[in-house]
Amino acid sequence: MNPVPEVSKVGEVAAVPEPVEVPDQVLDLTARENYFNRELSHLQFNYRVLQQALDEHHPLINRLIFLCIFSSNMDEFFEIRVAGLRQQMKYGREMVGPDGMLPEQVLAEISQVAHDYISEQYDILNKVLIPEMEQQNIHFVRRRDWTPAQAEWVRQYFEDEILPVVNPIGLDPSHPFPRLVNKSLNFIVELDGKDAFGRETGMAIVPAPRSLPRLVRLPDDVCDGGDNLVFLSSMIHAHADELFPGMEVKGCYQFRLTRNADLELEDDLEDLASALRGELLSRRFGDGVRLEVADNCPEELVQFLLHQFGLTERDLYKVHGPVNLTRLMAVSGLVNRPDLTYPGFSPALPKQIRNKEVIFDAIRKQPILMLHPYESFTPVIDFLRQAAKDPQVLAIRQTLYRTGADSEIVEALMDAARRGKEVTAVIELRARFDEAENLELASRLQEAGVVVVYGVVGYKTHAKMILIVRREEGRLKRYVHLGTGNYHAGNARLYTDYSFLSADDALGDDVNKLFQQLTGMGKALKIKKLFHAPFTLHRRIIELIDREAEYGDKGHIIFKFNALTDPGVMLALYRASQAGVKIDLVIRGICCLRPGVPGLSENIQVRSIIGRFLEHTRVYWFGNNGKPEVYCSSADGMVRNLVNRVEVAFPVEDRDLVARLKDDLDACLRDNCQSWVLQPDGRYLQNQPAPDEERFASQLVLLERLTAK
């Protein structure tokens, strides 16, 4: 069993179960009881996000957004993780992780835990957030509360905006059950009577037009003040009879089907882009994995839907409210209440480049390290913009994973190509859920004259690299940008990520060789400073962990990951803990390692930080007997990153920057209010400051520390 946190009722503290007994000494490091299940750990992360909706230290609208993020996370969890487990069972390819659980066991536990979490989500919405928003004069106006003026406005909106685009589908022998798009809002309607052709179907499906907003603001002139919002589903419910003239609508109930949205591509493709375009069409209509239905839907209709989608009661989620809470994100755009959202801030610029007209001059003097979003992403864009216009720049190469076809970075690459520079973009088309945008991006770049390469089939290119070749004083000089996050300006305002700009010759040579491997063919080239997957990264991390173990209780390791699932890395950490090494793991999401077990991992502490920004930095810090060695990376501690992708870990060697990285990590380790500590029995307990201790929220501290410079 893999225990998960008990679900508390809204406003109550969850009961703390008795700690599990653990053996005094564990000799078999590979024993299944030493590991947590990946999928259940993933669910726990989602739950920690949900709990932010109850944290009154966050502004009210942002608490609602955390609720929406939980909903979005759960959608992806079902689309990818649950769908993957079901696929394993369907095709008899069941895989077992270090925890030893079979897919059927995992699916059974997922269903139990997910039902509890989703039930709590709707309790938080209905019993906490909506009442608190009412107190702030923000109203979700229900049908039963519409005034005559509001009802008339809704009627007119329905006739003008909804009726012309909605397409009801009666169910009869010539109109079989429609193929519904993944995660689309739909209604199942009970009918009585005969239509114009004499048909007596008794049932119809109404897909809500995807082009229409799910939440609409009522005009101020039909309201008594405040912000008044109405759901599209309420409008369709209220006027469902107009969709079936002459027939009686006995009931109208919303539902939503979540489908398998993972893409499967063969390794021997002749044309990756063409194959991906074909797969994207099928993503919208994959096998069903979850059915959400309004909790007032009659049982016979529920069973009818389950049968249509080939699902069971385990896959059914009856919800008290809208079936897609992610669409409540729209509230932040419909309601102008800056007092109920996080205050804005101006990201800082590193002092080395504040007054430098030419960014290359600053980088040549000293490498630059930036932590987004506290520090601006603009220097990365300027790095490319200046390179595009600089007559001394001859070539630009860049990897692109998630960027956006209309980004300033893309514009800079296109500008450089139009100016005659050699520009190469390695685009990872298979960045999940961004595939269509990346295909469009590739087309735009190619039209501008950029050489576009799709990386290596079978290995996602997840490394974040820019290489600029510049002629200086009769020789070629290389400048690099290496990062832990994507080249996406929007993400750089929401995710914490490091950017590193350097003119180090050895790093430049390494990055150049990596681009050669990605765009050409040949044996792996010798790399001097970088660790790179799938060739050296996994092995070198384990070697450095083992080296730290040689220092015994004088050793210290700090890892900051988004997830830790790799068995080899976990085994090495267990060995280091047994040798006495102090190990601090800051892991935002999934963690399969069991900390705090005597004889195994009593020297390991695992904490997860959940706050305003999405923790996304990856840092590997080794004490190295008083001579710290530190790397930043695009790779998490997962098999897919360390073995099955193209990833990079780069050293930070400048003494001041090493100290700065340690200060940033220490802030994470000091966090006493937005951090959750993983217990030996699998629970996560949120840190709370002692009665005589001040709150220390690491993200707030870093925001104040870095933007004040």
Side-chain angles (χ1 to χ4, degrees):
M1 295 288 289
N2 283 261
V4 294
E6 290 194 356
V7 179
S8 62
K9 295 181 180 179
V10 176
E12 296 183 0
V13 177
V16 178
E18 292 294 323
V20 298
E21 292 187 7
V22 292
D24 292 334
Q25 187 173 11
V26 179
L27 298 178
D28 183 4
L29 301 187
T30 64
R32 56 177 292 182
E33 61 266 20
N34 296 334
Y35 301 91
F36 297 121
N37 178 265
R38 181 198 194 286
E39 315 305 348
L40 298 178
S41 181
H42 192 163
L43 273 179
Q44 288 174 286
F45 163 66
N46 290 344
Y47 184 75
R48 295 194 293 278
V49 172
L50 176 61
Q51 292 304 293
Q52 305 308 303
L54 291 172
D55 187 343
E56 295 183 359
H57 290 96
H58 298 301
L60 180 57
I61 289 178
N62 292 103
R63 288 166 58 195
L64 177 67
I65 290 173
F66 276 116
L67 188 93
C68 297
I69 294 171
F70 169 81
S71 184
S72 176
N73 287 354
M74 291 299 288
D75 284 351
E76 183 173 343
F77 181 79
F78 276 93
E79 289 176 295
I80 304 300
R81 304 311 310 177
V82 171
L85 292 169
R86 291 170 65 100
Q87 289 288 94
Q88 289 182 37
M89 295 176 60
K90 179 178 179 179
Y91 295 111
R93 299 187 303 219
E94 298 187 19
M95 294 182 288
V96 178
D99 60 283
M101 292 183 71
L102 293 168
E104 173 60 31
Q105 295 174 287
V106 180
L107 285 170
E109 290 210 32
I110 285 173
S111 178
Q112 179 182 344
V113 175
H115 275 90
D116 287 342
Y117 288 178
I118 290 171
S119 176
E120 182 169 350
Q121 176 192 24
Y122 280 88
D123 279 348
I124 292 172
L125 175 67
N126 294 316
K127 299 177 182 178
V128 179
L129 295 181
I130 287 179
E132 289 190 26
M133 297 188 86
E134 291 278 348
Q135 293 174 10
Q136 295 294 332
N137 214 10
I138 300 172
H139 311 284
F140 296 94
V141 188
R142 308 295 177 91
R143 277 182 293 154
R144 62 176 179 268
D145 299 323
W146 291 347
T147 65
Q150 291 170 343
E152 174 57 24
W153 185 89
V154 167
R155 184 195 64 77
Q156 194 63 49
Y157 184 92
F158 180 86
E159 292 185 358
D160 294 344
E161 302 292 335
I162 300 175
L163 194 56
V165 293
V166 74
N167 186 35
I169 303 168
L171 301 183
D172 64 17
S174 63
H175 296 82
F177 197 94
R179 199 177 183 195
L180 302 175
V181 174
N182 181 31
K183 296 185 297 185
S184 59
L185 172 63
N186 302 278
F187 300 85
I188 184 166
V189 182
E190 280 188 295
L191 298 171
D192 193 19
K194 295 182 180 181
D195 72 356
F197 295 94
R199 295 174 300 182
E200 193 171 7
T201 66
M203 199 180 300
I205 300 296
V206 180
R210 295 172 69 83
S211 59
L212 294 179
R214 295 299 186 259
L215 201 59
V216 177
R217 182 185 175 94
L218 290 171
D220 292 342
D221 59 3
V222 298
C223 302
D224 293 329
D227 297 285
N228 298 273
L229 309 172
V230 62
F231 288 101
L232 175 70
S233 56
S234 294
M235 295 192 248
I236 291 177
H237 274 128
H239 295 279
D241 55 336
E242 294 187 36
L243 300 174
F244 307 95
M247 302 187 75
E248 179 188 356
V249 173
K250 298 171 64 177
C252 180
Y253 312 96
Q254 58 179 309
F255 70 93
R256 187 174 74 134
L257 177 69
T258 307
R259 296 182 180 273
N260 180 345
D262 209 0
L263 300 179
E264 293 189 9
L265 295 172
E266 301 296 331
D267 289 343
D268 58 349
L269 299 172
E270 292 185 6
D271 187 334
L272 177 60
S274 296
L276 190 57
R277 287 188 181 94
E279 281 293 314
L280 285 174
L281 294 174
S282 67
R283 167 180 278 171
R284 302 170 71 192
F285 301 107
D287 292 342
V289 294
R290 175 183 58 167
L291 176 64
E292 297 165 279
V293 181
D295 59 2
N296 64 339
C297 185
E299 184 63 23
E300 61 270 20
L301 296 186
V302 171
Q303 293 302 319
F304 172 78
L305 291 172
L306 287 174
H307 176 73
Q308 288 294 325
F309 302 130
L311 299 175
T312 67
E313 294 282 345
R314 189 168 73 180
D315 312 308
L316 172 66
Y317 291 79
K318 295 183 177 181
V319 300
H320 186 58
V323 294
N324 184 359
L325 295 185
T326 306
R327 291 300 191 99
L328 288 175
M329 285 270 196
V331 170
S332 61
L334 295 171
V335 172
N336 183 23
R337 290 294 300 272
D339 56 313
L340 300 180
T341 60
Y342 293 125
F345 68 95
S346 297
L349 282 174
K351 61 182 180 181
Q352 302 100 303
I353 58 176
R354 286 177 196 164
N355 300 315
K356 295 285 184 183
E357 290 187 8
V358 181
I359 197 169
F360 302 106
D361 295 342
I363 299 171
R364 222 174 20 251
K365 290 181 179 179
Q366 183 183 9
I368 297 170
L369 183 72
M370 296 170 287
L371 178 55
H372 315 304
Y374 315 109
E375 294 176 289
S376 176
F377 188 69
T378 301
V380 180
I381 299 172
D382 288 343
F383 182 56
L384 281 169
R385 280 176 172 163
Q386 289 190 22
K389 294 178 172 58
D390 189 340
Q392 295 174 255
V393 169
L394 305 179
I396 301 173
R397 296 174 188 144
Q398 181 171 6
T399 59
L400 296 172
Y401 190 75
R402 301 187 198 277
T403 305
D406 297 323
S407 77
E408 293 174 288
I409 279 183
V410 173
E411 293 297 328
L413 293 175
M414 293 167 60
D415 182 35
R418 292 185 185 114
R419 291 173 184 265
K421 303 183 190 306
E422 299 296 325
V423 182
T424 303
V426 180
I427 300 178
E428 181 47 69
L429 293 180
R430 295 159 297 176
R432 184 174 288 152
F433 299 119
D434 281 339
E435 297 95 343
E437 192 166 32
N438 283 354
L439 284 166
E440 180 187 349
L441 164 64
S443 296
R444 287 194 66 210
L445 288 171
Q446 287 170 327
E447 289 171 4
V450 175
V451 176
V452 173
V453 178
Y454 299 136
V456 182
V457 173
Y459 295 88
K460 281 189 179 182
T461 302
H462 194 252
K464 312 305 187 302
M465 306 182 294
I466 299 174
L467 174 68
I468 292 175
V469 182
R470 192 170 187 258
R471 188 178 298 281
E472 297 178 1
E473 299 177 353
R475 60 183 288 267
L476 297 182
K477 177 72 174 174
R478 296 188 179 105
Y479 294 83
V480 300
H481 171 271
L482 296 161
T484 68
N486 304 305
Y487 291 112
H488 194 296
N491 287 352
R493 291 190 290 269
L494 301 173
Y495 295 9
T496 68
D497 272 307
Y498 282 111
S499 274
F500 184 64
L501 293 164
S502 173
D504 181 271
D505 289 334
L507 273 183
D509 187 51
D510 283 355
V511 173
N512 182 58
K513 288 176 179 176
L514 288 182
F515 274 110
Q516 284 181 283
Q517 290 179 186
L518 287 171
T519 62
M521 300 186 74
K523 298 290 186 182
L525 300 172
K526 185 176 180 180
I527 304 296
K528 299 172 186 175
K529 287 191 173 183
L530 297 177
F531 302 157
H532 62 300
F535 302 108
T536 63
L537 179 54
H538 188 244
R539 171 175 56 84
R540 290 295 291 134
I541 288 177
I542 292 174
E543 288 174 353
L544 290 174
I545 295 172
D546 289 341
R547 184 190 67 182
E548 207 67 25
E550 295 175 4
Y551 301 130
D553 58 8
K554 294 181 181 178
H556 190 191
I557 295 171
I558 307 173
F559 282 169
K560 190 168 185 297
F561 291 143
N562 297 328
L564 174 59
T565 65
D566 181 82
V569 172
M570 291 188 287
L571 279 170
L573 290 171
Y574 283 151
R575 291 194 299 267
S577 174
Q578 289 179 321
V581 177
K582 180 183 179 183
I583 301 171
D584 290 301
L585 305 179
V586 183
I587 301 175
R588 182 195 78 207
I590 304 164
C591 180
C592 295
L593 177 146
R594 187 187 294 270
V597 178
L600 175 74
S601 57
E602 67 265 42
N603 294 312
I604 303 177
Q605 185 175 73
V606 178
R607 64 183 63 217
S608 169
I609 295 174
I610 311 291
R612 172 178 180 175
F613 307 113
L614 183 74
E615 291 292 334
H616 199 250
T617 54
R618 291 92 163 192
V619 183
Y620 320 150
W621 188 92
F622 301 92
N624 193 29
N625 201 27
K627 299 177 181 178
E629 194 169 325
V630 60
Y631 298 82
C632 295
S633 180
S634 57
D636 286 311
M638 306 175 76
V639 175
R640 74 180 190 192
N641 296 99
L642 303 177
V643 178
N644 298 325
R645 286 186 174 181
V646 177
E647 302 272 17
V648 165
F650 53 92
V652 178
E653 298 170 314
D654 181 271
R655 183 178 301 177
D656 291 340
L657 297 184
V658 169
R660 184 284 180 70
L661 277 168
K662 184 61 163 55
D663 286 345
D664 293 349
L665 291 171
D666 285 343
C668 295
L669 299 177
R670 284 188 59 193
D671 193 304
N672 63 11
C673 52
Q674 290 187 326
S675 59
W676 300 65
V677 179
L678 177 59
Q679 307 300 302
D681 62 2
R683 294 174 298 138
Y684 277 85
L685 298 183
Q686 186 172 7
N687 275 320
Q688 298 291 345
D692 58 345
E693 185 181 20
E694 290 187 7
R695 283 175 55 85
F696 189 96
S698 57
Q699 291 190 355
L700 180 59
V701 168
L702 289 169
L703 183 63
E704 293 176 347
R705 178 189 297 174
L706 295 173
T707 59
K709 289 184 178 180

